[in-house]
């Protein structure tokens, strides 16, 4: 009974977060008026602010703060040979299985993992772990018959039809294709990029030469990626159109595992510095290494549906540059003056999904608290984002609409609006206005009252504690700047 309740609560929490995200302007289903499009989402007015803050922070960390990393913005469309060289044309396949009754197709690992999660929810942790272990070892050997037997032996049924009437396991390519050129002309098939990394690899020499970059150095990029995910699940965790923040770090061959260790530690600290609790973050070493990697780890966050990947760190060897050199015929080499040698650099990659990071922060921030005593007791819902990523930094409220308070509040707006995203509100009681800001995670609400007219002080109300303090108006800008400072985040790294 207890574990059943846990299952309901876990699922319930994600549902609550999804409805909160929609109701308060964070995430909407794409083209909702036409009933939406599976696994595609739009970001609303507060969602876009939160996502931009996360992206800016990542970009600043990589480029401005790190020092030896520069950014680029490559096109989504790339020459089709790119995807041949990267291995995506031949290898970007996931084993799939179809249920003959529901006609639904599933990624084999998702189907089995789903069953394992259900086992875990009802307390069979050991059984679940064993199942995942068996699956990983079969996946590592590409043993499709073994995987199919595992599904049958564990009576894993289709969630739609409830039957175990499965087809054989087959592989499907996850890349979206389209055609370039007008229909009348000879059209060529090209792909929507399934990762942003290749835009970096093909520009490696352009950047290295024009920027006179010396190894070790990195190239960072934020951009859209597209994957025809067969099973769209868990809200913005698995989308068909999503955004990646990837950084390729080019190093001298032989030093890649040291850099891999460096980036592994640096990246998990970054997530913690931004407010994800360390107990909700963990490493997960890959059991099956991708075709390009000699070491790989995921940073996982504990979502309401369990620990799942938010970022991958891969030691990609010289796989990509070597293949691009082979297919393009262009040398991808670097002359290292320190050792007087030419070589193809090795690469350590950090790759984080902006949308998954967004979801991790949303889940972590979503807080329901019981406040008050006895009859006065009620629930308060708020989003406790780190102030640096909160969509709105401060809300300015004149206590009333008269007595010159709006005019005084306008002075404060003028002092703040160039540096911070702020909102101004004069409608409704101050209590209601506080609640509205709590629901979108605004860390500071600043009230302008009659005392302000006399001594130029305002009250600043802190979201998490709901405590208020009085502050001279001219100190407000400095206080918000301090609380939202990027520097303070980086200092923790
Ligand atoms: P998964 O195993 O969950 O499919 P992956 O290992 O294929 O992910 P990578 O190719 O390593 O993912 O991509 C790097 C990052 O991009 C992931 O850590 C994740 O944050 C993000 N990402 C990948 N696929 C998706 C998707 N379909 N929707 C949203 N984000 C994604």
């Amino acid at each position: 009974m207890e574990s059943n309740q846990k299952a309901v609560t876990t699922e319930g929490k994600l549902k609550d977060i999804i409805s909160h995200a929609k109701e308060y302007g964070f995430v909407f289903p794409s083209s909702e008026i036409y009933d939406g499009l599976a696994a595609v989402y739009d970001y609303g007015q507060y969602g876009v602010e939160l996502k931009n803050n996360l992206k800016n922070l990542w970009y600043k960390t990589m480029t401005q703060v790190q020092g030896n990393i520069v950014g680029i913005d490559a096109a989504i469309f790339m020459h089709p040979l790119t995807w041949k060289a990267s291995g995506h044309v031949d290898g970007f396949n996931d084993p799939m299985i179809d249920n003959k009754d529901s006609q639904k197709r599933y990624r084999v690992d998702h189907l089995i993992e789903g069953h394992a999660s259900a086992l875990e929810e009802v307390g069979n942790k050991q059984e679940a772990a064993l199942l995942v272990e068996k699956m990983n070892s079969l996946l590592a050997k590409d043993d499709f018959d073994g995987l199919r037997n595992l599904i049958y032996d564990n009576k894993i049924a289709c969630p739609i039809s409830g039957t175990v009437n499965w087809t054989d396991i087959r592989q499907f390519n996850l890349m979206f294709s389209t055609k370039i050129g007008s229909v009348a002309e000879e059209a060529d098939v090209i792909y929507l990029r399934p990762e942003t990394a290749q835009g970096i690899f093909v520009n490696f020499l352009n950047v290295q030469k024009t920027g006179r970059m010396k190894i070790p150095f990195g190239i960072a990029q934020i951009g859209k990626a597209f994957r025809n995910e067969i099973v769209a699940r868990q809200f913005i965790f698995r989308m068909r159109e999503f955004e990646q923040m990837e950084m390729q770090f080019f190093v001298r061959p032989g030093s890649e595992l040291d850099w891999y260790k460096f980036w592994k530690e640096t990246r998990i600290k970054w997530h913690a510095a931004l407010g994800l609790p360390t107990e909700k973050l963990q490493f997960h070493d890959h059991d099956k290494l991708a075709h390009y990697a000699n070491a790989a780890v995921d940073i996982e966050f504990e979502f309401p549906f369990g620990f799942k990947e938010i970022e991958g760190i891969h030691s990609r060897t010289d796989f990509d540059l070597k293949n691009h050199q082979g297919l393009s015929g262009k040398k991808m080499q670097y002359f290292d003056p320190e050792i007087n040698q030419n070589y193809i650099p090795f690469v350590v990659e950090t790759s984080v999904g902006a949308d998954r990071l967004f979801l991790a922060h949303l889940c972590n921030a979503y807080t329901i608290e019981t406040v008050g005593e006895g009859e006065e007791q009620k629930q308060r819902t708020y989003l406790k984002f780190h102030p640096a990523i909160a969509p709105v930094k401060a809300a300015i409220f004149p206590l009333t609409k008269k007595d010159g308070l709006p005019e005084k509040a306008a002075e404060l707006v003028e002092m703040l609006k160039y540096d911070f995203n702020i909102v101004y509100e004069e409608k409704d009681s101050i209590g209601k206005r506080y609640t509205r800001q709590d629901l979108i995670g605004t860390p500071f609400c600043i009230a302008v009252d009659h005392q302000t007219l006399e001594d130029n002080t305002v009250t600043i109300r802190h979201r998490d504690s709901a405590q208020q303090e009085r502050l001279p108006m001219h100190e407000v800008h400095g206080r918000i700047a301090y609380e939202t400072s990027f520097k303070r985040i980086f200092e923790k790294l």
Side-chain angles (χ1 to χ4, degrees), residues 116-169:
S117 300
L119 286 174
E120 234 179 72
E121 297 281 10
V122 294
N124 294 337
K125 277 201 162 164
Q126 256 184 340
E127 206 182 320
L130 195 67
L131 179 63
V132 172
E133 198 184 302
K134 277 190 193 158
M135 173 189 82
N136 283 333
S137 101
L138 292 166
L139 279 172
K141 291 183 278 186
D142 283 331
D143 182 350
F144 292 170
D145 287 340
L147 284 163
R148 192 164 183 268
N149 291 340
L150 193 66
I151 291 172
Y152 272 103
D153 293 347
N154 283 276
K155 303 190 176 56
I156 302 178
C158 163
I160 311 270
S161 67
T163 69
V164 287
N165 195 7
W166 297 109
T167 61
D168 284 341
I169 293 175

Side-chain angles (χ1 to χ4, degrees), residues 109 165 168 193 339 364 396 425 427 431 453:
D109 56 339
N165 195 7
D168 284 341
R193 66 179 176 196
I339 52 170
N364 185 54
I396 317 296
E425 274 202 342
K427 271 210 198 93
L453 300 178

Side-chain angles (χ1 to χ4, degrees), residues 430 434 445-449 452 457-461 468-471:
I430 197 117
Y434 284 152
C445 289
I446 298 159
V448 170
D449 55 20
T452 315
T457 62
V458 290
T459 59
I460 177 160
R461 179 219 183 235
Q468 299 185 18
E469 63 172 312
R470 211 125 193 128
L471 207 68

Side-chain angles (χ1 to χ4, degrees), residues 53-115:
N53 290 340
L54 289 167
K55 290 196 292 186
N56 285 338
L57 257 165
W58 179 88
Y59 196 75
K60 277 198 176 185
T61 314
M62 287 298 177
T63 57
Q64 272 173 241
V65 182
Q66 192 68 31
N68 51 349
I69 301 176
V70 292
I72 61 162
D73 181 17
I76 286 170
F77 292 143
M78 298 185 73
H79 192 285
L81 283 179
T82 308
W83 306 111
K84 188 85 187 145
S86 69
H88 284 84
V89 172
D90 303 315
F92 195 49
N93 299 310
D94 278 324
M96 306 282 180
I97 193 162
D98 292 31
N99 184 271
K100 290 184 193 159
D101 300 317
S102 66
Q103 313 275 313
K104 285 278 169 197
R105 177 166 297 161
Y106 298 91
R107 241 172 84 170
V108 168
D109 56 339
H110 290 169
L111 186 70
I112 299 175
E113 275 170 5
H115 187 72

Side-chain angles (χ1 to χ4, degrees), residues 411-422:
E411 279 177 34
L412 191 57
V413 169
E414 194 57 26
M415 284 160 80
L416 302 175
K417 73 175 184 191
Y418 299 97
D419 294 317
F420 309 109
N421 188 29
I422 54 164

Side-chain angles (χ1 to χ4, degrees), residues 92 94 107 109-110 194-195 227 229 236-246 286 292 298-299 309-312 314 349 351-357:
F92 195 49
D94 278 324
R107 241 172 84 170
D109 56 339
H110 290 169
E195 62 174 26
R227 295 183 189 176
E229 301 280 4
I236 54 171
F237 181 82
R238 191 169 299 287
M239 301 157 93
R240 296 201 165 109
E241 174 181 341
F242 57 101
E243 238 172 326
Q244 284 187 317
M245 308 195 281
E246 296 199 297
H286 282 208
Y292 50 75
D298 294 336
I299 296 176
E309 169 179 349
I310 51 173
E311 170 153 6
H314 310 122
E349 156 184 272
S351 172
V352 54
D355 313 271
R356 278 195 196 171
L357 186 62

